Amino acid sequence: MTGELTVAFVLLSYMRDAPAGMERATAALAEGVRGLGHRTLLVTATPSAEPDTAVLETIKIPRPASDDDLRAAIDGHEHAVADELRTLFRHHGVDVAVYVDALWGLGRLAPRCPGVFSVLAMHVLGHDQDLVPALERADLVIAPAPVVLQQAYDRGYDPTCWKLVRNALLHDAHPADEQAREKLRRTAPVRVLARLGLEKNVHALLEAGRLVERPVEVVLAEAGFEHERGGQAVEYQRCAHSAAHLPLGAIQGGGLPWHEVQPWLAGASVVIVPSTKESFGLVALEAMSVGTPVVAFDVDNLPALVGTGDQAGGVIVPVGGGEFELWRVAEALLDDPLRYAALSRAAYYRSRDYLPTTVAQDFIKAVR
């Protein structure tokens, strides 16, 4: 494939400002692809007035929907969904179809279309019942981090030919100057931003932080997907209970619009990412991009993303130390102005490798 391409991204839960890393990363890659002079189409099941977006008519799911809800909506309608995708691809002249996830990105269906190169974006491995057919249909598999390749190998898959295409920052950002960052170190709150997933572990972090003296602010949000029906509402109640010791308004639901994420993280003294699973760690990257140091567990991709030693963008904590250790390390960092300033500078420079067009260049190279 040479010249200008049209790239379709299929993700049923996609909508502008969706509070989930997979949606934000998809928007960032699409932005980068357009920045290189190509065209994009975002295919979703969620009503949208966003330009260059197509809404599938053959799939109707509640919002939020569980994996089982989606499978039930697909079962018996596979051919109709596949036909609609083919029609969309022909109408828009699609050259590359990126199925963003085996289930939610319809990689398990991925219809064969003449002249369309099929890519499975493996943000998370998902269930074998979706993954096996998705892999059979893909011309190429991409993953955002080496840890996903290792997880695939551990599950018995062969990721030898998969390509690494990192997640990108949707918006470029500029950190505060040294004087402003020093004031943030002394006075700004610790902030936490997360989707309402059990693996985000926010309720345990808040439970462990009952004696923390620094102000704490938490923003949580309900995504368009959930592992079990009603699971996000239950998780919010758990978090609210654990945050009962915080001042009124310190914990908020509803998430943030995408363009407000980095400015909000920029106003933190430190950002804690308490996740126990994180195949990439987009919130950590977004915090680093505005010079805010990150404190996170040593799980999945977070150590590679945040780094260690003199060039780290924060501090990585052994998960065995528990949530109390996240708070202890954050407080120690805030009490050390020299180390804090060094980590803040390194955080910003580490993030520069994740700009949209930089990542999109890797993607275009992989599909050509």
Side-chain angles (χ1 to χ4, degrees), residues 317-340:
V317 176
V319 69
E323 293 74 27
F324 288 101
E325 187 68 1
L326 290 174
W327 288 114
R328 188 197 69 76
V329 167
E331 290 178 323
L333 175 59
L334 292 173
D335 288 339
D336 187 341
L338 293 179
R339 188 184 186 208
Y340 181 91

Side-chain angles (χ1 to χ4, degrees), residues 11-64:
L11 180 57
L12 299 187
S13 56
Y14 180 85
M15 62 181 295
R16 176 62 57 171
D17 297 327
M22 194 157 61
E23 281 79 357
R24 208 146 69 244
T26 299
L29 180 54
E31 179 73 19
V33 168
R34 290 191 295 271
L36 296 179
H38 305 286
R39 295 177 295 169
T40 63
L41 175 70
L42 290 157
V43 181
T44 176
T46 305
S48 174
E50 191 176 349
D52 302 317
T53 300
V55 180
L56 291 177
E57 300 294 333
T58 47
I59 295 182
K60 304 295 183 185
I61 53 175
R63 185 174 178 88

Side-chain angles (χ1 to χ4, degrees), residues 209-283:
R210 291 181 175 272
L211 299 180
V212 172
E213 296 181 358
R214 174 75 64 137
V216 178
E217 295 178 356
V218 181
V219 170
L220 302 170
E222 187 176 273
F225 58 89
E226 55 188 358
H227 296 300
E228 296 181 1
R229 190 177 302 173
Q232 293 183 112
V234 171
E235 186 63 14
Y236 185 81
Q237 292 303 315
R238 295 177 72 192
C239 291
H241 177 77
S242 297
H245 62 287
L246 297 177
L248 186 66
I251 181 170
Q252 302 176 35
L256 295 169
W258 287 346
H259 70 276
E260 292 182 12
V261 168
Q262 284 158 291
W264 190 77
L265 296 173
S269 57
V270 69
V271 168
I272 297 181
V273 179
S275 303
T276 56
K277 293 181 181 179
E278 201 68 68
S279 62
F280 184 77
L282 195 54
V283 169

Side-chain angles (χ1 to χ4, degrees), residues 47-122:
S48 174
E50 191 176 349
D52 302 317
T53 300
V55 180
L56 291 177
E57 300 294 333
T58 47
I59 295 182
K60 304 295 183 185
I61 53 175
R63 185 174 178 88
S66 68
D67 290 356
D68 288 339
D69 290 332
L70 178 52
R71 291 191 191 97
I74 293 174
D75 286 346
H77 300 88
E78 293 93 342
H79 295 300
V81 176
D83 286 345
E84 185 175 13
L85 286 171
R86 290 191 187 96
T87 299
L88 279 173
F89 294 166
R90 284 196 300 268
H91 177 74
H92 291 276
V94 169
D95 301 294
V96 180
V98 181
Y99 298 95
V100 188
D101 186 59
L103 176 60
W104 286 87
L106 294 182
R108 72 199 296 261
L109 297 184
R112 282 291 174 190
C113 306
V116 178
F117 189 77
S118 176
V119 179
L120 176 63
M122 187 72 69

